[in-house]
Amino acid sequence: MTPLVALAAQSLWNRRGSAALTVFAIAVSVTLLVGVETIRGGTRESFARTISGTDLIVGARSGPINLLLYSVFRVGDATANVSWQSYELVSRHPDVAWTIPISLGDSHRGYRVMGTSGEYFLHYRYGDRQALAFSAGEPFKDAGDAVVGADVARELGYAAGDEITLAHGIGAGSFTGHDEYPFRIAGILAPTGTPVDRTVHVGLDALAEIHEDWQGGARTQVDSSRHPHDGDAPEDAGADTATQPSPAGITAFLVGMRSKDAVLQMQRALNEFRGEPLTAIIPGVALQQLWQIVGVADGALLVIASFVVLAGLIGMLTAILASLRERRREMAILRSVGARPLHVFTLMLLEAALLALAGVLVGVVTAHAILAGAAPVLAGRYGLFMATDGPRVYDLLLAGAVVGAALVTGLVPAWLAYRNSLADGLTIRT
Amino acid sequence: MKQALIRAIAGILVAVCLAAIAAAQQIDWIELVPAEDRATFDPAPPPPAHDYLGGEAGGLAAQQPLNFKVNRDLEGREIRIPGFVVPLELDDAGHVTEFFLVPYFGACIHVPPPPPNQMIYVIMKKGIQLDSMYSAYWITGKMSAKTRKTGLGVAAYTLTATEYEEYQF
């Protein structure tokens, strides 16, 4: 067997030009297949992992998927705010265990800023009910503190204690800044593989404070005495600790119920609330709805990728078949040195296997190299978090399937060569 | 000898399977209502109500009648029941591991939720691969019928599920 493998390899090396092209065709198709499959797995996982343990998400009246996207995935924007009164009404309800206010709209060097309360670090859960953990520092204590996600800290090189400023609006280069209100990084969160990693968290009261002077979308006055770090303004410092300035509105809030049994009733009550048009969603339901939309597209992607692999294999078949005629002499020589027809058959099959193996190897490596390079873009722009820790068991299965399909395809030229060598013997009839 | 052994093993396997099926008794939603209340029970969805929060949050509790009772006979029983799934928690693979099982579709969106004794809170470790929320499923598992009182009413059933199967209409 081993001499046959060597022989097949040498025979391919002799025709390395066309063999390389065949390998390339297979590699491209495998790259596509592995890429599509990794992205499919990644989307599914990052969708399902993003939020856990939250019973309801409440926002201004809009669609459930829109609310889920902006409140959890930080994609898109809210249509309106929720009034603070409504938030307080729900948070005081006897069946509600906790609420987390969310206020979006500002950015820091391309990363979304989320105003929230200390409850966030206590009650927010992702994955399998995992709590947020700190890799450095601690939750924010006063209005001048910020907590950044793992990706923000890594990519911008922040450490606990650094000072940052926020920009009004969203985008990497926002030109209307909040320069007069610097924040101190109080803590850095451990990586979660969710949009939390790419978020800058600040106190809700701080966010209200820095927008206080803003009227009609622009800053009207700069009052430096409101500087959050101005400890020497006694009445201001008192206000920070005693009566926190309650914001006029928040973007959305998360609700945890004391008992799951009350979730449906509470959702109904919020959706029917006359005081303000609200939308309340159950995260699991909205995730499922979102997945049903995205799932169709990713099913289609798999079909396309499979067809590309099929095309690659047909390319290999064509290349081997085309070489058969010119290699009749080679076969005759092999027969003359003692090769049996079965050896010829095996040789052709091994050739197909070697081509496919090389193609799969190149394809898997290329796919993972591309994915590793594209991961930050996918995470930043689409909120998709890929596992970029190299090939996984599933990739091996895919690779095995492609090689298997190549072997089946290789049966055709192998059979033809076998029959030819039986008919031709040592002399070629042309 | 060998064949006899195989036959014996096959027989035991069949018996075990039959026992498992027999243990999970198929029940209907009406059986979740205690026998004495069944005569007056109306299976239609409750009429729409509005503005439960009205002014003070206390209004919310008032809309849910508190006199729903659970059928204590179901405590600890292995049951099999069909229903629609309202997903609550998903695992990493996107399978639904916690959900409400409800007798009519859209119970959470278009009409008020069903009364507490017509709703089952299901915990299923292996999870359901939910292809569509419009599909109904048979859920098999062990029932717990403990009354839990919340400000929004009493509730009712928890099912620790082991198996599921798509319901064929």
Side-chain angles (χ1 to χ4, degrees):
Chain A
M1 195 67 179
T2 330
L4 274 181
V5 176
L7 198 60
Q10 277 164 11
S11 171
L12 280 175
W13 181 248
N14 203 34
R15 292 167 287 120
R16 50 190 172 270
S18 66
L21 276 179
T22 309
V23 168
F24 181 70
I26 295 173
V28 168
S29 61
V30 170
T31 303
L32 192 72
L33 184 68
V34 170
V36 163
E37 278 306 284
T38 310
I39 290 175
R40 266 161 51 90
T43 43
R44 193 177 280 257
E45 203 168 297
S46 54
F47 272 47
R49 279 180 63 82
T50 311
I51 189 161
S52 171
T54 295
D55 292 321
L56 290 170
I57 304 175
V58 186
R61 174 86 20 108
S62 66
I65 290 175
N66 185 33
L67 176 55
L68 180 78
L69 283 176
Y70 71 70
S71 63
V72 174
F73 290 92
R74 320 255 191 278
V75 173
D77 295 295
T79 45
N81 265 359
V82 178
S83 75
W84 188 253
Q85 285 84 348
S86 299
Y87 171 71
E88 293 246 281
L89 186 68
V90 175
S91 66
R92 282 203 311 266
H93 191 278
D95 275 349
V96 171
W98 51 264
T99 49
I100 299 172
I102 291 175
S103 207
L104 299 161
D106 276 11
S107 71
H108 171 70
R109 296 175 68 180
Y111 294 99
R112 301 291 286 258
V113 171
M114 187 174 105
T116 185
S117 70
E119 303 282 293
Y120 180 76
F121 303 106
L122 289 177
H123 298 299
Y124 190 82
R125 296 284 184 277
Y126 68 96
D128 189 18
R129 297 233 161 107
Q130 285 157 274
L132 295 174
F134 280 81
S135 64
E138 51 186 4
F140 40 70
K141 279 204 212 80
D142 66 59
D145 285 349
V147 169
V148 298
D151 283 3
V152 180
R154 197 188 65 234
E155 277 168 43
L156 299 179
Y158 288 155
D162 287 358
E163 284 219 335
I164 60 171
T165 57
L166 309 183
H168 189 65
I170 302 150
S174 185
F175 305 108
T176 47
H178 294 300
D179 305 344
E180 71 282 10
Y181 296 108
F183 283 88
R184 188 185 64 88
I185 295 179
I188 293 167
L189 293 170
T192 63
T194 73
V196 171
D197 291 357
R198 309 185 63 81
T199 306
V200 176
H201 309 86
V202 298
L204 208 56
D205 39 349
L207 216 54
E209 200 168 316
I210 62 177
H211 286 103
E212 212 165 65
D213 305 329
W214 287 60
Q215 302 280 323
R219 188 166 48 217
T220 50
Q221 54 156 341
V222 178
D223 183 358
S224 61
S225 73
R226 291 194 194 280
H227 194 295
H229 283 297
D230 257 1
D232 51 16
E235 72 284 350
D236 214 42
D240 263 7
T241 49
T243 51
Q244 297 215 330
S246 55
I250 52 176
T251 314
F253 58 97
L254 312 179
V255 179
M257 304 293 288
R258 284 192 203 285
S259 154
K260 290 270 183 202
D261 307 308
V263 169
L264 293 187
Q265 275 86 0
M266 183 51 115
Q267 183 195 22
R268 182 73 183 169
L270 289 168
N271 281 328
E272 299 267 321
F273 182 46
R274 289 275 177 87
E276 188 180 0
L278 295 176
T279 295
I281 58 168
I282 298 173
V285 175
L287 280 169
Q288 197 66 44
Q289 288 170 336
L290 189 56
W291 185 249
Q292 269 164 29
I293 298 169
V294 181
V296 173
D298 94 343
L301 277 178
L302 178 63
V303 173
I304 294 169
S306 310
F307 274 109
V308 174
V309 170
L310 189 67
L313 291 179
I314 290 173
M316 180 190 77
L317 180 65
T318 318
I320 298 179
L321 280 179
S323 71
L324 274 188
R325 177 167 283 275
E326 57 192 74
R327 291 171 64 199
R328 279 188 159 189
R329 193 170 300 276
E330 186 186 328
M331 296 303 155
I333 294 169
L334 283 175
R335 291 295 306 274
S336 75
V337 294
R340 276 185 259 154
L342 197 62
H343 285 140
V344 172
F345 180 85
T346 316
L347 190 67
M348 297 307 291
L349 212 54
L350 278 173
E351 214 166 273
L354 283 176
L355 284 172
L357 263 180
V360 164
L361 208 66
V362 174
V364 170
V365 170
T366 316
H368 280 278
I370 292 175
L371 282 171
V377 182
L378 288 174
R381 200 168 296 175
Y382 304 106
L384 298 180
F385 292 84
M386 298 299 134
T388 49
D389 45 0
R392 294 191 274 184
V393 182
Y394 187 65
D395 295 338
L396 293 181
L397 289 180
L398 281 181
V402 173
V403 173
L407 280 177
V408 173
T409 319
L411 284 176
V412 178
W415 171 250
L416 284 176
Y418 174 79
R419 230 185 38 191
N420 281 346
S421 63
L422 273 184
D424 291 352
L426 300 184
T427 52
I428 302 160
R429 282 179 288 267
T430 43
Chain B
M1 180 63 201
K2 203 175 171 186
Q3 261 190 344
L5 193 69
I6 290 172
R7 233 175 255 164
I9 290 172
I12 289 167
L13 278 178
V14 168
V16 166
C17 289
L18 283 176
I21 292 167
Q25 188 200 6
Q26 189 169 316
I27 65 165
D28 192 18
W29 284 93
I30 189 72
E31 289 171 65
L32 299 189
V33 179
E36 67 268 23
D37 292 348
R38 267 174 223 168
T40 53
F41 180 76
D42 177 12
H50 296 280
D51 203 11
Y52 310 130
L53 281 174
E56 224 13 76
L60 193 53
Q63 57 89 28
Q64 188 74 59
L66 293 171
N67 56 359
F68 282 102
K69 293 197 195 93
V70 297
N71 182 358
R72 298 240 169 252
D73 296 346
L74 292 173
E75 174 66 39
R77 289 252 298 274
E78 284 285 332
I79 62 148
R80 183 169 183 265
I81 189 167
F84 290 96
V85 170
V86 181
L88 295 174
E89 287 285 332
L90 311 177
D91 67 7
D92 277 3
H95 296 175
V96 183
T97 51
E98 281 177 37
F99 55 93
F100 283 126
L101 193 71
V102 289
Y104 39 89
F105 170 69
C108 58
I109 302 154
H110 308 294
V111 291
N117 62 5
Q118 290 289 286
M119 238 168 73
I120 305 173
Y121 173 56
V122 185
I123 301 168
M124 189 172 197
K125 212 162 191 135
K126 75 170 185 181
I128 291 191
Q129 189 170 1
L130 201 60
D131 294 324
S132 160
M133 293 214 301
Y134 303 90
S135 309
Y137 292 87
W138 286 100
I139 309 291
T140 306
K142 196 174 178 186
M143 194 69 144
S144 155
K146 289 201 182 68
T147 310
R148 291 180 300 272
K149 198 165 179 176
T150 73
L152 293 156
V154 287
Y157 296 104
T158 305
L159 188 70
T160 311
T162 46
E163 293 301 325
Y164 74 96
E165 186 190 326
E166 192 164 345
Y167 183 91
Q168 302 299 327
F169 287 99

